[in-house]
Each structure stands twice: as structure tokens, then as C-alpha cells.
Amino acid sequence: MKNVISTNLGYPRIGEHREWKKALEHFWSGKMEKETFLLQMQEFRLDHLKKQLDQGIDLIPVGDFSMYDHVLDTAMMFGLVPERFEYKGGKVPLETYFDIARGNRSAVASEMTKWFNTNYHYIVPELNQRNPAFVENRPLHFYQEAKQKLGINGKPVILGPVTFVKLAKGYDQQELKDMVELFTPLYAQMLGELEAAGVEWVQIDEPILCTTLSAEEIHLLKETYETLTKAAPKIKMILQTYFDHLDYFEEITSLPVHGIGLDFVHDDGQNLKALNTFGFPQDKMLAAGVIDGRNVWRANIEERITLIEKIAAAAKCEQLMIQPASSLLHVPITVNNETELTPTLKNALSFADEKLQEVALLSKGVKEGKAAIEKDIKASKAAIETLNGSPERNNTKVQLATANLEAMNAERQAPFESRSKLQESAFQLPILPTTTIGSFPQTQEIRKQRLKWRKKELTTEQYEDFIKAEIKKWIEIQEKLGLDVFVHGEFERTDMVEYFGEKLGGFQFTKFGWVQSYGSRCVKPPLIFGDVAFLAPMTLKESVYAQSLTSKPVKGMLTGPITILNWSFVRDDLSRFTVANQIALALREEINILEKNGIQMIQVDEPALREGLPLKKEKWDNYLNAAVHAFKLSVSTVKNETQIHTHMCYSDFEEIMDAINALDADVISIETSRSHGELIQSFEDTTYEKGIGLGVYDIHSKRVPTIEEMSTNISRALKVLDPKRFWINPDCGLKTRGTEETIEALKIMIEAAKETRETVGYPVKETNAFVNAKE
């Protein structure tokens, strides 16, 4: 097939060495002038475009770059600034843009939540005001910049109107049609201006089409795109989908657009099946996503060529595009910088730049035949086979244990009601106990000492003494503040997944494998490349030391199996839940060791449980059942008196409350303040009888809330939750916050708890049976 071109859907923003992140944080801290900052951002954009040009990509995306988040960018094009930020109209100022994302002294930040089932967070648009206006054509600006500076006739990338409105808040579901129709003329204006500027191709992302939609919503989509194509008839509009398959295949592929982009990696084979069943409009272009844009493993080029041949035979379309299955935003930049990996592992990896090479290679193979890329086909196959034959992927002990899961108990010894009475007697906590989620500020000094240790400028003993001093300092701070349940602070940990991956078998870490999580926050997901095995205690030393410093209970802190799974790059030769159960069995050993050494509260965090939900609701039950089982498998061996906590954050939980309850954790803490308390409404219809803490202030904002704000959040929760079961805590860990603001916010939180205790009608117990038991 000769009529083939290569393209891409989006490129990572952060830079090979996180230059983007550093520029952002320098600007926010006042160390960089605005003009210098904007020039650096432009340099980054152009560098990313040139790299794609050099990789041989025919049609390069423009406008996928962002200074924070692409959903927020879309909202700013329409002047969607919440009233609390005192926007006066016109192009949204850069300072206001960042205030919406991060908050300021007088206004709380907008809600942040997960982008579909990824670990990327977007800023949720607020449509309450319903007065959008087209105030800035960002795609046009980026298109002209690429053309003028680099001679690239790029493909503007736009978040589609239906997805944008579906991801927003501030309207009722029955108003969806009205809201989409409110924005459609603004999109039409945008496209008209792009057409007038000579734009040939436009990529309009509608990933919402791979979720479970109604026939009415598909009809709305049809009406919307009929309007948009009339507004810019000369533009070749690609309706791009990703992360799963289309349910309404015939209806969507018949839309009046020039091309359809389909995911042939995460679709479970359903998009190809639909092509074979229904065919494809011969007057349209098919953009075939055949390279995994979300994982880091090298593609088997021969298998991908075979897949493309099947797609082309079924589609019989006028033109085929070869591309990644999604934006490459979700993977690191390049494998070339990873000089410390073994050749076996490095040769089996593919990051963003390597994936672009694979796209170009596949395009060449389709146009010129397999013989033209025979050497590359053999190389990819050999690299994958070598990794599959490695000892790390053939751990007999782990494989035997996971094959014998049915014989292992995954239930606690007694039901919650019985356990709670024993725990109440053991800990003697006051009503509305206060605690934190786990981490305390990772100061510059902590990062400096860790780097010196990694460079061997500090001995392990010196570094551990430093960590112990930090733990001691924060135990004393917690004592002075008057918290009821302490944490050790996690000063020894860089990242809540990375830390455990470094101590478990089957994991490996990169040096520059960073990806964006939210804003300037980047994470370096571990590579789960082999069988996951427990090697030695991972959290025992710090937990036991912290507990020795206080008579208050100190929580042991672990990351749960599903979060480790979802926040890692997981091997693709096993099912994901086989890997999850391997992780659960390793954590089970760690939890048993903690309990045997006197740690009687253990928190197993699962902030990523919901984000792993499949886009299709019919797949939810299988996922949730497997996720719940893995969590319970990790904690089920503890005594009834041992209190199991878990934590979840920044997602919509209303639809999975049954699964949350099924975890059977004694206490769960959930984000609620950044969503402005909306989660509380779900408890009006759902009874939750276990311990629960709905975070009373947003830790992702630099702003310290008032006691009135925290008290209001507590009071709202107590209208629907039993005070006897309610805990008071921040939304999330305090790792990213400064020391002074952390202490000040916790002071206010504790004061709000004390004031509320006086109103709930329960006596506050001053004795501490936990102390007596330990003494």
C-alpha cells in the first residue's frame, strides 16, 4: 500500500532533563522573568517539533504543548475563568491561568482529576457561569509559529467539544446538549480561522467516544460535527479516539469528517473486528494507532506490520496513517540517556523518540515491503525474546505462589463491627481523630542529602542518621501540634511507588524516565520487567524507630498493589492482574513483618485504584473485583486489633462506592476539598459504616485555608457520616508543601477538629490504652 503517511498524536512536554518543569518552578518562585519564561517555553515547543521532524514523521502535531494542562488551555481559549479569580474578559493573563491551576491567597484552585484511566491529571473546567467567548486561538498561534520558525506545515491538535464538555463540571446531565451547542459556534470560529490561515489537517481529540455513551450522545456528536465541517469545509478534519474501541462504530465512521483515528493497541481487538464486520468508508482516511503510546516496551515490528496489513485489507480506505495509539505524553522522552540499564532490558525498551522511529519504520515497511526493514524486524524480535528468557522473568518461587492463589485466604479474620470494637479499645482515640496521609515536606535539604548519598558522597550510615533526625523532628512537631495518630514522614522516599520498586525483585528504574503527572509534578514510573518478589523488609526500620519516639500510634506506610501496578510501566507478556497479585503477595510479607514488630496501624494506599477503571462500564466489575482481591490479599493476615487504613485521591468515587466498601479497610481517607465537597453528596444516598476521613483541605495548593473553611468541610461531612467513624485529615500527603505552611495548616485543622468535637455530643477520651498496652 503506497498511500501511507506517518504521524503522531502528541509529544511529551517536560524535556529530556525536565527543563520544562524547572522553568515553570523558577517562574513561579520569582527567579525567572515572564519574558524569559515565555521565550524558554517557545524554545521547548520548537525543539519538540524539530525532533519529530528529524525522526521522519510526515505529519507533525502542533498545539499539543502546554504550560500546565491541555484541558485548562482549552478552557482559557473560551474565557472560562471562575468568578473567584476576578477575570475581566479578553485573553486570560498568564498569572490567572496558573492561579486557576494552583490557587492563590484569596481563591482556591479548580478541581483536578485523572485524565481517563491514566496517571495524568487535568484541571476540571467550571461551566457554572455559562458565558464562554472565543478569546484566543491557541492552535492557530502554534501552527503559525511552527510554520514560520521551522517550515513545518503542522497538524493543530484540539480537544473536541463533546469530550471537553463531558469532562467539565457545573451543569446537569440533562443540559449536556445545551452546553455542547453553546460551545459549537466557538469551535466553528476557531476552525474557520485555521482554514483561513491555510491549515490543511486538524486533529480533533474525542477520547470520550471510547467510553460508554448513549445513542442520544452519539446523535449530539453527529449534529456537532455537521456544524463544524460546514464551518471549515477545506480542512481535513481527523476525529481522533484512543484508549479503547468504539461502540457506535458505523455511526462514528460515517460522520462528515475526512478521517477517523482508532486505537488498535488498547481496544482488545474490537476495532479490527468492527472493521471486518462493517467495513470503512472508502472516501475517508484511517489513522491507525498501532504503537503503544502508554507503555515503554519495544514493539514486535513483524507483528505490527501484520496488524497493519489486516487493517488495510479490512478498511480499503483512500489513505492510511500510521501513528501511536495515543499521545506520547504518557511515556519518557528517550532510551538513549539510560546508560546504566543492562543491555537485555535497554534493548527491549521504547520511549517517545523510539516510538516515533517505530512509526516511521512501519510506514516504510508498509510502503516498500517487509524486505526493506528485514534487519529491524529481526532486531526487535531478538530483543523481546532475550528479555523473555531472562532469569527475572522466570522466578519459579513467585510463579508457583501466584498459581496457588485459590488456597490463600483473602478475608480478615472477623467482620468490621467486631474488629472496630477491639481497635477502639486498643487505641482509645478521641472522637474525630486527627492524622495526616503519610508524607511531610521533602525539603531542599532532604533532596540534597539524598543526592549526595546516591553519589556516594555520604555513607549509608550518615544518610540513615540524617533520615532519623528528620523523623525525630517531625514526631516532635506532631506531638506539639496535638495530632492523634502520627506518621514517620517518608523522608527516605522519593516517590511512593519508586521507593517500593527499588526494594522488590522484578523492578528496574531509569535515570531519566520522567513523565508528567500534574502541572510541574513529574514522576519516574518503575519498570516491572520481571516476576515481582519480596526480598527484604522495606519500611520496618523507619516505622519502628518512629514508634519508639512516641506513645501515640504511628502508622506504617505502604503503597498498595493496584497503585504500584497502575503507576508503573508493566510488562506486557503477562496479564496485569497476575502482576498485581505478585505485588500483593510481596506486600503481604511486609505487612506481616510490620505487625510482628509492634506496628498496629498500617496504611496501604490505593490512590490509583479508580484511575485504572476501564473506559467501558461493562468491564468495570472484572477490574474492580480483581483490584479488591489484590488489596485484600495483601492485608488479610493481620490480627483483628491491627487497624488497616487506605487512601484514595483526585477521582470521582461515587460510582465505585461498593468496591471501596468491599476493600474492607478499617479506615479510608478520600479527597474531597479540591472538588469543593461534592463527594459528600454521594453519602446522602450511600451508607458507609467503616472509618472514613474526607480530606478537609487541599494540599496541592500553596494557600493555607482558614479555620472557617475547614470547619465547614467537616460540618458538611458530619451531616451524612457518623461522627464515631469520622477522621479528620488533609486531602493527601504533604510532600510538596513547605514546612511553615504545613505546620500552620495542621494547626488550623486540629483547632477545627477540637471546635467540632464540642458540638457532636460525644465525650473526648483523654486516656490512651495504646500507651498502656505498649508500656
Side-chain angles (χ1 to χ4, degrees):
M1 183 177 183
K2 304 297 182 182
N3 201 9
V4 174
I5 62 175
S6 60
T7 187
N8 183 28
L9 305 187
Y11 190 80
R13 301 158 186 161
I14 63 176
E16 290 186 25
H17 301 283
R18 293 181 292 162
E19 300 90 342
W20 176 88
K21 166 191 171 68
K22 294 167 187 174
L24 274 172
E25 293 178 353
H26 282 167
F27 175 64
W28 291 339
S29 66
K31 297 177 181 177
M32 184 183 292
E33 295 294 328
K34 182 176 180 179
E35 292 74 15
T36 304
F37 170 72
L38 292 175
L39 282 173
Q40 281 207 7
M41 289 289 122
Q42 183 186 63
E43 289 175 9
F44 298 155
R45 283 196 300 273
L46 295 175
D47 178 66
H48 298 171
L49 296 176
K50 190 174 185 305
K51 288 184 73 173
Q52 295 175 78
L53 187 66
D54 292 343
Q55 296 286 12
I57 299 302
D58 299 318
L59 185 56
I60 296 171
V62 297
D64 56 304
F65 183 90
S66 176
M67 288 188 284
Y68 198 98
D69 162 53
H70 58 278
V71 183
L72 177 61
D73 292 349
T74 306
M76 294 306 94
M77 286 197 295
F78 302 133
L80 293 173
V81 179
E83 287 184 1
R84 60 188 178 277
F85 294 100
E86 301 179 352
Y87 167 65
K88 303 300 182 183
K91 181 180 175 180
V92 178
L94 183 63
E95 294 78 9
T96 303
Y97 171 84
F98 286 130
D99 283 347
I100 294 168
R102 307 175 70 230
N104 59 34
R105 292 189 179 278
S106 60
V108 296
S110 287
E111 181 183 352
M112 179 170 65
T113 196
K114 298 296 176 70
W115 172 252
F116 295 91
N117 57 350
T118 75
N119 188 32
Y120 175 78
H121 303 63
Y122 72 92
I123 301 298
V124 181
E126 298 179 30
L127 306 187
N128 311 70
Q129 297 167 244
R130 309 190 184 192
N131 57 346
F134 189 53
V135 299
E136 181 187 9
N137 197 332
R138 292 188 179 211
L140 176 59
H141 167 73
F142 290 130
Y143 170 80
Q144 292 172 331
E145 180 182 75
K147 194 168 186 179
Q148 292 167 6
K149 299 286 186 180
L150 296 173
I152 292 174
N153 191 22
K155 172 185 63 171
V157 177
I158 301 166
L159 180 60
V162 178
T163 296
F164 177 72
V165 173
K166 288 278 286 183
L167 295 181
K169 61 190 286 187
Y171 67 95
D172 295 328
Q173 176 59 30
Q174 60 266 27
E175 298 177 289
L176 175 65
K177 185 175 188 295
D178 292 338
M179 296 306 297
V180 172
E181 289 176 350
L182 186 64
F183 285 92
T184 301
L186 307 182
Y187 274 89
Q189 182 180 347
M190 181 197 311
L191 290 168
E193 292 179 6
L194 291 171
E195 182 183 73
V199 171
E200 182 180 3
W201 298 90
V202 170
Q203 173 186 318
I204 303 187
D205 287 359
E206 292 281 12
I208 205 74
L209 297 181
C210 290
T211 64
T212 301
L213 298 178
S214 67
E216 290 77 15
E217 288 169 324
I218 296 300
H219 182 71
L220 172 61
L221 182 87
K222 181 175 181 293
E223 291 180 337
T224 302
Y225 279 86
E226 285 174 350
T227 300
L228 296 182
T229 50
K230 288 176 183 177
K234 295 180 182 178
I235 282 182
K236 294 179 180 179
M237 194 181 302
I238 306 168
L239 183 68
Q240 182 63 53
T241 68
Y242 38 84
F243 297 155
D244 213 311
H245 70 277
L246 299 180
D247 285 333
Y248 293 88
F249 189 87
E250 287 182 288
E251 291 86 347
I252 292 171
T253 55
S254 65
L255 288 171
V257 295
H258 187 81
I260 304 291
L262 299 176
D263 185 334
F264 290 95
V265 174
H266 304 102
D267 66 325
D268 294 327
Q270 293 303 305
N271 279 331
L272 180 58
K273 182 178 179 181
L275 277 178
N276 285 315
T277 303
F278 303 112
F280 192 81
Q282 294 188 22
D283 62 341
K284 283 186 173 62
M285 177 272 301
L286 175 59
V290 294
I291 293 295
D292 192 345
R294 294 180 55 172
N295 213 335
V296 294
W297 305 106
R298 187 170 181 169
N300 184 317
I301 297 299
E302 187 170 39
E303 288 182 358
R304 295 294 95 188
I305 286 282
T306 301
L307 174 60
I308 293 169
E309 289 172 346
K310 292 178 180 178
I311 292 168
K316 299 177 182 177
C317 56
E318 66 171 20
Q319 189 172 47
L320 191 67
M321 283 186 172
I322 307 299
Q323 62 186 27
S326 67
S327 169
L328 300 178
L329 174 69
H330 309 290
V331 295
I333 307 292
T334 178
V335 177
N336 289 338
N337 294 326
E338 303 301 334
T339 58
E340 298 176 10
L341 298 178
T342 65
T344 294
L345 181 54
K346 184 174 180 178
N347 289 341
L349 292 173
S350 175
F351 294 174
D353 288 353
E354 290 74 32
K355 290 180 186 298
L356 293 175
Q357 293 169 14
E358 291 173 338
V359 166
L361 189 67
L362 289 171
S363 181
K364 179 181 179 180
V366 173
K367 285 189 281 190
E368 301 178 18
K370 287 184 182 180
I373 58 169
E374 186 63 31
K375 180 180 177 182
D376 301 285
I377 289 174
K378 290 180 178 178
S380 70
K381 187 176 181 179
I384 294 167
E385 289 178 349
T386 300
L387 180 61
N388 286 339
S390 65
E392 291 85 357
R393 286 200 168 182
N394 294 276
N395 186 317
T396 305
K397 180 181 178 181
V398 173
Q399 292 174 1
L400 183 63
T402 51
N404 196 37
L405 286 178
E406 291 184 1
M408 295 186 185
N409 180 39
E411 300 293 336
R412 295 288 296 274
Q413 298 173 27
F416 171 75
E417 285 299 327
S418 299
R419 301 196 311 262
S420 66
K421 292 175 182 176
L422 293 171
Q423 292 164 14
E424 182 178 352
S425 175
F427 296 112
Q428 291 289 305
L429 297 172
I431 195 75
L432 306 177
T434 56
T435 189
T436 61
I437 299 306
S439 59
F440 280 129
Q442 290 260 336
T443 62
Q444 186 175 356
E445 181 62 22
I446 292 172
R447 294 193 296 270
K448 178 182 175 182
Q449 294 298 317
R450 183 183 299 120
L451 182 61
K452 289 175 68 175
W453 171 63
R454 290 189 184 279
K455 290 181 176 180
K456 302 189 184 306
E457 296 173 8
L458 283 182
T459 66
T460 296
E461 183 179 7
Q462 289 172 323
Y463 177 64
E464 289 181 351
D465 285 345
F466 170 78
I467 294 297
K468 287 175 71 174
E470 288 296 310
I471 293 172
K472 185 175 187 294
K473 179 178 78 175
W474 277 91
I475 290 292
E476 291 172 353
I477 290 172
Q478 292 173 88
E479 292 276 15
K480 291 177 182 177
L481 286 169
L483 283 163
D484 299 305
V485 172
F486 294 0
V487 295
H488 79 274
E490 302 180 17
F491 305 107
E492 76 283 7
R493 307 182 190 183
T494 52
D495 173 83
M496 64 185 295
V497 172
E498 182 181 44
Y499 178 80
F500 290 94
E502 287 178 333
K503 296 178 178 296
L504 291 167
F507 284 74
Q508 183 56 267
F509 287 83
T510 58
K511 190 173 183 180
F512 299 103
W514 298 96
V515 294
Q516 184 187 5
S517 178
Y518 65 87
S520 68
R521 166 79 165 147
C522 298
V523 294
K524 190 152 49 99
L527 313 176
I528 305 181
F529 78 104
D531 293 322
V532 179
F534 177 85
L535 302 177
M538 300 175 281
T539 64
L540 181 65
K541 187 184 302 180
E542 294 80 13
S543 298
V544 169
Y545 174 67
Q547 187 62 83
S548 73
L549 300 173
T550 180
S551 60
K552 297 285 186 71
V554 178
K555 292 186 287 187
M557 303 299 303
L558 288 82
T559 304
I562 302 305
T563 295
I564 292 177
L565 182 84
N566 285 337
W567 287 358
S568 299
F569 291 123
V570 184
R571 57 190 290 189
D572 57 1
D573 63 317
L574 291 180
S575 76
R576 288 177 64 83
F577 280 106
T578 297
V579 178
N581 287 328
Q582 289 183 352
I583 300 168
L585 291 177
L587 294 177
R588 185 180 174 113
E589 292 194 50
E590 177 74 7
I591 289 168
N592 288 341
I593 289 170
L594 286 174
E595 186 183 52
K596 288 176 183 176
N597 283 272
I599 306 302
Q600 294 177 249
M601 282 190 187
I602 301 172
Q603 184 167 310
V604 183
D605 288 343
E606 287 289 20
L609 186 144
R610 194 200 186 283
E611 82 178 41
L613 274 175
L615 271 63
K616 306 291 187 185
K617 287 190 176 180
E618 62 266 25
K619 300 178 182 178
W620 282 18
D621 284 348
N622 286 341
Y623 168 82
L624 290 171
N625 289 340
V628 167
H629 180 267
F631 178 87
K632 292 168 72 172
L633 185 65
S634 67
V635 303
S636 61
T637 56
V638 299
K639 300 173 183 176
N640 292 324
E641 292 83 356
T642 297
Q643 192 171 78
I644 297 295
H645 291 236
T646 190
H647 170 68
M648 299 179 186
C649 57
Y650 293 100
S651 288
D652 298 322
F653 296 102
E654 293 85 344
E655 295 179 296
I656 64 165
M657 288 305 300
D658 288 344
I660 290 174
N661 192 47
L663 292 173
D664 200 24
D666 298 301
V667 181
I668 180 170
S669 56
I670 306 180
E671 178 276 330
T672 188
S673 68
R674 182 139 189 178
S675 61
H676 307 161
E678 291 163 8
L679 177 64
I680 295 171
Q681 297 173 7
S682 66
F683 292 102
E684 294 174 356
D685 303 316
T686 302
T687 300
Y688 191 82
E689 297 181 346
K690 299 182 176 73
I692 186 166
L694 301 183
V696 299
Y697 76 93
D698 174 23
I699 65 88
H700 291 86
S701 173
K702 59 185 178 182
R703 177 177 174 275
V704 175
T706 65
I707 190 170
E708 290 78 15
E709 289 174 296
M710 289 203 206
S711 296
T712 297
N713 286 338
I714 296 170
S715 298
R716 287 187 64 187
L718 293 181
K719 290 179 181 178
V720 293
L721 293 168
D722 185 348
K724 290 186 293 184
R725 302 284 189 226
F726 192 73
W727 288 61
I728 294 177
N729 48 258
D731 268 347
C732 202
L734 296 159
K735 173 182 176 180
T736 61
R737 300 274 51 91
T739 297
E740 291 184 6
E741 66 187 88
T742 293
I743 293 172
E744 183 60 28
L746 290 176
K747 280 181 182 177
I748 295 171
M749 184 188 81
I750 292 165
E751 186 60 33
K754 289 178 178 177
E755 289 187 5
T756 307
R757 284 171 186 161
E758 296 176 2
T759 69
V760 295
Y762 290 95
V764 177
K765 298 175 181 178
E766 299 295 342
T767 60
N768 193 324
F770 181 72
V771 179
N772 297 333
K774 289 182 68 60
E775 291 175 346

